[in-house]
Every structure is written in structure tokens, then in C-alpha cells.
Coordinates of all heavy atoms in Angstrom, one line a residue:
G12 N -1.7 11.6 -6.1 CA -0.3 11.4 -5.7 C -0.1 11.2 -4.2 O 1.0 11.1 -3.8
N13 N -1.2 11.0 -3.5 CA -1.1 10.9 -2.0 C -1.0 9.5 -1.5 O -1.7 9.0 -0.7 CB -2.3 11.6 -1.4 CG -2.2 11.8 0.1 OD1 -1.1 11.7 0.6 ND2 -3.3 12.1 0.8
G14 N 0.0 8.8 -2.1 CA 0.3 7.4 -1.6 C -0.8 6.4 -2.1 O -1.4 6.6 -3.1
G15 N -1.1 5.5 -1.2 CA -2.1 4.5 -1.5 C -1.5 3.3 -2.2 O -0.4 3.4 -2.8
K16 N -2.2 2.2 -2.1 CA -1.6 0.9 -2.7 C -1.9 0.7 -4.1 O -1.3 -0.1 -4.8 CB -2.2 -0.3 -1.9 CG -2.0 -0.2 -0.4 CD -2.8 -1.3 0.3 CE -2.7 -1.1 1.8 NZ -3.5 0.0 2.3
R17 N -2.8 1.5 -4.7 CA -3.2 1.3 -6.1 C -3.6 -0.2 -6.3 O -3.3 -0.7 -7.4 CB -2.1 1.7 -7.1 CG -1.7 3.1 -7.2 CD -2.7 3.9 -8.0 NE -2.1 5.1 -8.6 CZ -1.9 6.2 -8.0 NH1 -2.3 6.4 -6.8 NH2 -1.4 7.2 -8.7
L18 N -4.3 -0.7 -5.4 CA -4.6 -2.1 -5.4 C -5.6 -2.5 -6.5 O -5.5 -3.5 -7.2 CB -5.1 -2.6 -4.0 CG -5.4 -4.1 -3.8 CD1 -4.2 -4.9 -4.1 CD2 -5.9 -4.3 -2.3
R19 N -6.6 -1.7 -6.7 CA -7.7 -2.0 -7.6 C -7.1 -2.0 -9.1 O -7.4 -2.9 -9.8 CB -8.8 -1.0 -7.4 CG -9.5 -1.2 -6.1 CD -10.2 0.1 -5.6 NE -10.7 0.0 -4.2 CZ -9.9 0.1 -3.1 NH1 -8.6 0.4 -3.3 NH2 -10.4 0.0 -1.9
P20 N -6.4 -0.9 -9.5 CA -5.9 -1.0 -10.9 C -4.8 -2.1 -11.0 O -4.7 -2.8 -12.0 CB -5.2 0.4 -11.1 CG -5.2 1.0 -9.7 CD -6.2 0.4 -8.9
M21 N -4.1 -2.4 -9.9 CA -3.1 -3.5 -10.0 C -3.8 -4.8 -10.2 O -3.3 -5.7 -11.0 CB -2.4 -3.6 -8.6 CG -1.2 -4.5 -8.6 SD -0.5 -4.9 -7.0 CE -0.2 -3.3 -6.4
L22 N -5.0 -5.0 -9.6 CA -5.7 -6.3 -9.8 C -6.2 -6.4 -11.2 O -6.1 -7.5 -11.8 CB -7.0 -6.3 -8.9 CG -6.8 -6.5 -7.4 CD1 -8.0 -6.2 -6.6 CD2 -6.3 -8.0 -7.2
L23 N -6.6 -5.3 -11.8 CA -7.0 -5.4 -13.2 C -5.8 -5.7 -14.1 O -5.9 -6.6 -15.0 CB -7.6 -4.0 -13.6 CG -8.3 -4.0 -15.0 CD1 -9.3 -2.8 -15.0 CD2 -7.4 -3.8 -16.2
L24 N -4.7 -5.1 -13.9 CA -3.5 -5.4 -14.7 C -3.0 -6.8 -14.5 O -2.6 -7.5 -15.5 CB -2.4 -4.4 -14.3 CG -2.7 -2.9 -14.6 CD1 -1.6 -2.0 -14.1 CD2 -2.9 -2.7 -16.1
L25 N -3.0 -7.3 -13.3 CA -2.5 -8.7 -13.0 C -3.5 -9.7 -13.7 O -3.0 -10.7 -14.3 CB -2.4 -8.9 -11.5 CG -1.2 -8.3 -10.8 CD1 -1.4 -8.5 -9.3 CD2 0.1 -9.0 -11.3
A26 N -4.8 -9.4 -13.6 CA -5.8 -10.4 -14.1 C -5.6 -10.4 -15.7 O -5.7 -11.5 -16.3 CB -7.2 -10.0 -13.8
A27 N -5.4 -9.2 -16.3 CA -5.2 -9.2 -17.7 C -3.9 -9.9 -18.1 O -3.9 -10.7 -19.1 CB -5.1 -7.7 -18.2
K28 N -2.8 -9.8 -17.3 CA -1.6 -10.5 -17.7 C -1.8 -12.0 -17.4 O -1.2 -12.8 -18.2 CB -0.5 -10.0 -16.8 CG 0.1 -8.7 -17.3 CD 1.5 -8.4 -16.6 CE 2.2 -7.4 -17.4 NZ 3.6 -7.2 -16.9
A29 N -2.6 -12.4 -16.5 CA -2.9 -13.8 -16.2 C -3.7 -14.4 -17.4 O -3.6 -15.6 -17.6 CB -3.6 -14.0 -14.9
L30 N -4.4 -13.6 -18.1 CA -5.2 -14.0 -19.3 C -4.4 -13.9 -20.6 O -4.9 -14.2 -21.6 CB -6.5 -13.2 -19.4 CG -7.4 -13.4 -18.2 CD1 -8.6 -12.5 -18.3 CD2 -7.9 -14.9 -18.2
G31 N -3.2 -13.4 -20.5 CA -2.3 -13.4 -21.7 C -1.7 -12.1 -22.1 O -0.5 -12.1 -22.5
R32 N -2.4 -11.0 -22.0 CA -1.8 -9.7 -22.5 C -2.5 -8.5 -22.0 O -3.6 -8.6 -21.4 CB -1.9 -9.7 -24.1 CG -3.3 -9.6 -24.6 CD -3.3 -9.6 -26.1 NE -4.7 -9.5 -26.6 CZ -5.3 -8.4 -26.8 NH1 -4.7 -7.2 -26.5 NH2 -6.6 -8.3 -27.2
I33 N -1.9 -7.4 -22.1 CA -2.5 -6.1 -21.7 C -2.5 -5.2 -23.0 O -1.5 -5.0 -23.7 CB -1.7 -5.4 -20.6 CG1 -2.0 -6.1 -19.3 CG2 -2.1 -3.9 -20.5 CD1 -1.3 -5.5 -18.1
D34 N -3.7 -4.6 -23.3 CA -3.7 -3.6 -24.4 C -4.1 -2.2 -23.8 O -4.3 -2.1 -22.6 CB -4.7 -4.0 -25.5 CG -6.1 -4.1 -25.1 OD1 -6.5 -3.5 -24.0 OD2 -6.9 -4.8 -25.8
H35 N -4.3 -1.2 -24.7 CA -4.5 0.1 -24.2 C -5.8 0.2 -23.4 O -5.9 1.0 -22.4 CB -4.6 1.1 -25.4 CG -4.9 2.5 -25.0 ND1 -3.9 3.3 -24.4 CD2 -6.0 3.2 -25.0 CE1 -4.4 4.5 -24.1 NE2 -5.7 4.5 -24.5
N36 N -6.8 -0.6 -23.8 CA -8.1 -0.5 -23.0 C -7.9 -1.0 -21.6 O -8.6 -0.5 -20.7 CB -9.2 -1.3 -23.7 CG -9.8 -0.6 -24.9 OD1 -9.8 0.6 -25.0 ND2 -10.3 -1.4 -25.9
H37 N -7.1 -2.0 -21.4 CA -6.8 -2.4 -20.0 C -6.2 -1.2 -19.2 O -6.6 -1.0 -18.1 CB -5.8 -3.6 -20.0 CG -6.4 -4.9 -20.4 ND1 -6.0 -5.5 -21.6 CD2 -7.4 -5.7 -19.9 CE1 -6.7 -6.7 -21.7 NE2 -7.5 -6.8 -20.7
L38 N -5.2 -0.6 -19.8 CA -4.6 0.6 -19.1 C -5.6 1.7 -18.8 O -5.6 2.2 -17.7 CB -3.4 1.1 -20.0 CG -2.3 0.1 -20.3 CD1 -1.3 0.8 -21.2 CD2 -1.6 -0.3 -19.0
A39 N -6.4 2.0 -19.8 CA -7.4 3.1 -19.7 C -8.4 2.7 -18.5 O -8.7 3.6 -17.7 CB -8.2 3.3 -21.0
L40 N -8.8 1.5 -18.5 CA -9.8 1.1 -17.5 C -9.2 1.0 -16.1 O -9.8 1.2 -15.1 CB -10.5 -0.2 -17.9 CG -11.4 -0.1 -19.1 CD1 -11.9 -1.4 -19.5 CD2 -12.6 0.8 -18.8
A41 N -7.9 0.7 -16.0 CA -7.2 0.7 -14.7 C -7.2 2.1 -14.2 O -7.4 2.4 -13.0 CB -5.7 0.2 -14.9
A42 N -7.0 3.1 -15.1 CA -7.1 4.5 -14.7 C -8.5 4.9 -14.3 O -8.7 5.6 -13.3 CB -6.6 5.4 -15.8
V43 N -9.5 4.4 -15.0 CA -10.9 4.6 -14.7 C -11.2 4.1 -13.3 O -11.8 4.8 -12.5 CB -11.8 4.0 -15.7 CG1 -13.3 3.9 -15.2 CG2 -11.7 4.7 -17.0
I44 N -10.8 2.9 -13.0 CA -11.0 2.3 -11.7 C -10.4 3.2 -10.6 O -11.0 3.4 -9.5 CB -10.4 0.9 -11.6 CG1 -11.3 0.0 -12.5 CG2 -10.4 0.4 -10.2 CD1 -12.7 -0.4 -12.0
E45 N -9.2 3.7 -10.8 CA -8.5 4.5 -9.8 C -9.3 5.9 -9.6 O -9.4 6.4 -8.5 CB -7.1 4.8 -10.2 CG -6.3 5.5 -9.1 CD -6.1 4.7 -7.8 OE1 -6.4 3.5 -7.7 OE2 -5.8 5.4 -6.8
F46 N -9.7 6.4 -10.7 CA -10.5 7.7 -10.7 C -11.8 7.5 -9.9 O -12.1 8.4 -9.0 CB -10.9 8.2 -12.1 CG -9.9 9.1 -12.7 CD1 -8.5 9.0 -12.5 CD2 -10.3 10.2 -13.4 CE1 -7.6 9.8 -13.0 CE2 -9.4 11.1 -14.0 CZ -8.0 10.9 -13.8
I47 N -12.5 6.4 -10.1 CA -13.7 6.2 -9.4 C -13.4 6.0 -7.9 O -14.1 6.6 -7.0 CB -14.5 4.9 -9.9 CG1 -15.0 5.2 -11.3 CG2 -15.6 4.5 -9.0 CD1 -15.6 4.0 -12.1

């Protein structure tokens, strides 16, 4: 919760949307990327 741009998960979500859609696995992996 300490700020940050959340750039890495945002990239994943935008790329998924550019390819057509987002499903639960996209969301889960965006969280994974932020955790790492």
C-alpha cells in the first residue's frame, strides 16, 4: 500500500487488453508480478 506506479502489473493488463480480453489468470499473474 506504499504508493508506487504498479507499472509491471499495468503492463500485463494492457497487453492482455491489446490482445482482446482479460481473464482471471491475467489478474492472478498481475498480482504475482507485483508480489515478486
Side-chain angles (χ1 to χ4, degrees):
N13 192 13
K16 303 175 188 68
R17 291 283 208 278
L18 185 55
R19 294 153 189 82
M21 189 194 306
L22 286 169
L23 191 155
L24 297 173
L25 284 170
K28 282 195 161 188
L30 294 172
R32 66 183 180 87
I33 286 183
D34 66 18
H35 179 75
N36 281 335
H37 287 114
L38 299 177
L40 291 172
V43 166
I44 290 290
E45 187 63 17
F46 266 41
I47 292 173

